[in-house]
Amino acid sequence: MEDCLFCKIAAGQIPSNKLYEDDRLLAFYDIDPQAPVHFLVIPKQHIASAAALTEADADLLGHVFATIASLCAKLGCDGGYRVVTNVGEDGGQSVPHLHFHVLAKRSLAWPPG
Ligand code: AMP
Ligand code: ZN
């Protein structure tokens, strides 16, 4: 999608600190980390947010979560981690391309602010 920051990152038009990439998704470190480990996982196809997901995305979502589990194991996130996807204004979404935050290596408070 034109003028979408994360589409441009997925296409390699804007650089990112890549952690993992395959034909369907990209994982890269967040530019403003909120934990010692903070990376984002995005589908390469443009999906505006989790609100736009359908049953047809089940395989993609399974792949996203399996990749997150594998990356967290590789990074040694043995104490656990949090996966967050913000949706819309009230959810705190600032980039309108589906992304999963993965935060680890510190104790995370609950509930979120
Ligand atoms: P959200 O506020 O949930 O939409 O999350 C967007 C995230 O993207 C924020 O945590 C930003 O720090 C991060 N971000 C924005 N631009 C970049 C970029 N160029 N590279 C890596 N992360 C970015
Ligand atoms: Zn996009």
Side-chain angles (χ1 to χ4, degrees), residues 23 46 51 55 100:
D23 56 326
H46 183 83
E55 295 287 348
F100 296 87

Side-chain angles (χ1 to χ4, degrees), residues 30-47:
D30 198 291
I31 205 166
D32 181 21
Q34 301 301 312
V37 169
H38 183 181
F39 63 89
L40 304 173
V41 179
I42 63 170
K44 287 190 167 177
Q45 70 181 104
H46 183 83
I47 298 173

Side-chain angles (χ1 to χ4, degrees), residues 4-110:
C4 170
L5 173 63
F6 285 177
C7 279
K8 287 180 179 167
I9 286 178
Q13 292 162 2
I14 290 178
S16 65
N17 188 2
K18 263 184 220 176
L19 181 59
Y20 174 81
E21 181 173 17
D22 63 29
D23 56 326
R24 285 183 285 173
L25 59 79
L26 176 68
F28 57 101
Y29 285 102
D30 198 291
I31 205 166
D32 181 21
Q34 301 301 312
V37 169
H38 183 181
F39 63 89
L40 304 173
V41 179
I42 63 170
K44 287 190 167 177
Q45 70 181 104
H46 183 83
I47 298 173
S49 78
L53 290 167
T54 71
E55 295 287 348
D57 298 308
D59 278 358
L60 173 65
L61 289 176
H63 183 51
V64 164
F65 276 88
T67 300
I68 289 171
S70 164
L71 291 174
C72 285
K74 273 190 197 139
L75 292 169
C77 303
D78 306 322
Y81 54 90
R82 184 171 294 168
V83 183
V84 178
T85 188
N86 297 323
V87 179
E89 197 179 337
D90 281 357
Q93 184 179 11
S94 62
V95 179
H97 178 126
L98 178 65
H99 51 283
F100 296 87
H101 295 259
V102 181
L103 301 130
K105 300 211 179 180
R106 74 169 169 86
S107 181
L108 297 159
W110 191 264

